[in-house]
Amino acid sequence: DQQVKQNSPSLSVQEGRISILNCDYTNSMFDYFLWYKKYPAEGPTFLISISSIKDKNEDGRFTVFLNKSAKHLSLHIVPSQPGDSAVYFCAASESSYGQNFVFGPGTRLSVLP
Amino acid sequence: SQTIHQWPATLVQPVGSPLSLECTVEGTSNPNLYWYRQAAGRGLQLLFYSVGIGQISSEVPQNLSASRPQDRQFILSSKKLLLSDSGFYLCASRRGRAGTGELFFGEGSRLTVL
């Protein structure tokens, strides 16, 4: 049973518009969440994180929102750029000290020029 | 920040042959080290993690094994590969005793078992 779900395998967005990537989790013990971006044949690179004491964290064009009651988080990219085209993974851990990060299956974002 | 080196980058092996993937880490000491696998069209599955030399935790029963002979070296092995072992293998590192923060990933090793 998947503890971290990304129900949209793919998403297409026009350049300059907002990209919204969603992630749901089932384990109520998760309280530290990360987003990674991955290009083909490369390792994932860290984008942004959020802990459960916050409901929003922002870094440049990237904002992550956390809704603990709904066990849902989302990554917003504004404005979207063609270089943002990649697979995005959501990951969760039981604490920022946790050993085990559980990853979702990923969403492939295509930003169209 | 940390730098993770993985090799080989690409490997094609016959069923039943052995495997050794190596990972070394620069830029930190006493890291937590991880091996993940990404199967085609799937997310990242944690295989092993290590909090110190000689300390290995296995998350998924399988015919793979891991070893940590040195602080910043992590090795993934198999004595006899199966077709199902094909995938993209990623080594990752995280600050150790400080314990917090994100995972840093290597570039990955693509394994094809024929």
Side-chain angles (χ1 to χ4, degrees):
Chain A
D1 181 37
Q2 278 190 323
Q3 296 187 70
V4 178
K5 303 176 184 181
Q6 293 176 258
N7 292 321
S8 298
S10 62
L11 175 68
S12 292
V13 169
Q14 209 67 35
E15 181 179 4
R17 308 294 288 268
I18 183 171
S19 296
I20 300 177
L21 298 133
N22 293 305
C23 178
D24 297 285
Y25 60 97
T26 57
N27 186 344
S28 57
M29 299 299 291
F30 287 150
D31 64 1
Y32 184 58
F33 305 90
L34 307 95
W35 282 94
Y36 282 83
K37 172 181 176 180
K38 184 181 180 300
Y39 294 117
E42 294 184 10
T45 53
F46 170 74
L47 282 176
I48 193 168
S49 64
I50 189 167
S51 72
S52 59
I53 60 172
K54 293 184 172 183
D55 55 16
K56 176 182 175 182
N57 190 24
E58 196 170 350
D59 184 0
R61 295 186 299 115
F62 301 93
T63 303
V64 56
F65 295 92
L66 175 63
N67 182 334
K68 280 197 70 178
S69 61
K71 296 193 182 69
H72 176 83
L73 62 157
S74 60
L75 175 69
H76 293 211
I77 307 174
V78 183
S80 301
Q81 299 172 354
D84 295 330
S85 297
V87 176
Y88 288 78
F89 291 100
C90 167
S93 174
E94 289 192 10
S95 75
S96 60
Y97 292 87
Q99 301 300 338
N100 186 359
F101 287 90
V102 180
F103 282 78
T107 296
R108 180 176 303 278
L109 174 66
S110 300
V111 180
L112 309 172
Chain B
S1 67
Q2 303 171 38
T3 303
I4 319 297
H5 300 285
Q6 261 187 261
W7 67 94
T10 307
L11 198 58
V12 180
Q13 293 285 99
V15 168
S17 64
L19 171 73
S20 180
L21 299 179
E22 190 162 342
C23 169
T24 59
V25 180
E26 293 177 2
T28 188
S29 56
N30 303 312
N32 293 336
L33 298 176
Y34 302 79
W35 279 110
Y36 280 87
R37 175 171 60 201
Q38 183 185 16
R42 304 198 47 194
L44 302 178
Q45 180 187 35
L46 178 63
L47 302 175
F48 300 96
Y49 70 89
S50 170
V51 299
I53 295 173
Q55 299 178 63
I56 309 293
S57 297
S58 173
E59 290 295 309
V60 181
Q62 61 216 319
N63 71 321
L64 300 171
S65 62
S67 62
R68 185 168 177 176
Q70 299 181 49
D71 181 48
R72 287 174 287 177
Q73 184 185 26
F74 205 24
I75 298 171
L76 183 69
S77 305
S78 174
K79 292 182 180 176
K80 286 187 178 181
L81 284 168
L82 306 173
L83 285 174
S84 58
D85 292 325
S86 293
F88 192 58
Y89 288 82
L90 290 155
C91 179
S93 172
R94 189 185 192 206
R95 283 181 295 169
R97 292 205 177 89
T100 60
E102 69 272 19
L103 293 171
F104 291 90
F105 283 89
E107 292 297 310
S109 298
R110 168 79 56 197
L111 171 65
T112 303
V113 182
L114 302 175

